């Protein structure tokens, strides 16, 4: 198990101290850099000036990019998640049906 380290970051003029596993520190810093890039892109458009709205739009952009990421068989992440959720629901229903028939 990895040691927890505290990482200091600044976003939108605010300071945050985030605890993370030491072996994930670089990934966290890369996530901060990605968020900073999205924030600067939104700021650069000049349409949104409120810091909270900028942060929300940046987070939505990153989430949207993630969901568009292609995974196995060329599926977008969102479609992949829907398939997994559907399979899980089908498995749960089958398990419940099987358990009910055992006790009849």
């Amino acid at each position: 198990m990895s040691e927890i380290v505290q990482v200091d970051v600044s976003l939108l003029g605010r300071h945050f101290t985030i605890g993370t596993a030491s072996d994930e520190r670089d990934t966290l810093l890369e996530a901060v850099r990605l968020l900073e890039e999205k924030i600067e892109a939104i700021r650069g458009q000049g349409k949104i000036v409120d810091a909270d709205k900028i942060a929300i739009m940046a987070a939505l952009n990153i989430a949207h990019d993630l969901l568009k990421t292609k995974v196995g068989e060329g599926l977008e992440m969102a479609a992949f998640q829907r398939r997994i959720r559907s399979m899980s629901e089908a498995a749960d229903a089958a398990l419940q049906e099987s358990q009910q028939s055992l006790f009849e």
Side-chain angles (χ1 to χ4, degrees), residues 63-81:
H64 184 251
D65 290 347
L66 172 66
L67 292 174
K68 290 187 336 184
T69 300
K70 302 284 186 194
V71 292
E73 297 182 21
L75 287 175
E76 288 185 352
M77 183 68 75
F80 184 73
Q81 287 177 324

Side-chain angles (χ1 to χ4, degrees), residues 16-31:
F16 301 91
T17 299
I18 303 168
T20 188
S22 60
D23 59 347
E24 294 188 20
R25 181 181 181 279
D26 291 340
T27 303
L28 172 63
L29 292 174
E30 187 60 33

Side-chain angles (χ1 to χ4, degrees), residues 77-92:
M77 183 68 75
F80 184 73
Q81 287 177 324
R82 284 191 295 273
R83 274 193 179 178
I84 294 294
R85 191 176 307 116
S86 176
M87 288 188 291
S88 177
E89 289 168 358
D92 287 344

Side-chain angles (χ1 to χ4, degrees), residues 19 22 35 44 47 49 51-52 60 78-79 102:
S22 60
L35 184 54
K47 296 178 184 176
V49 293
D52 291 341
L60 285 172
L102 284 175

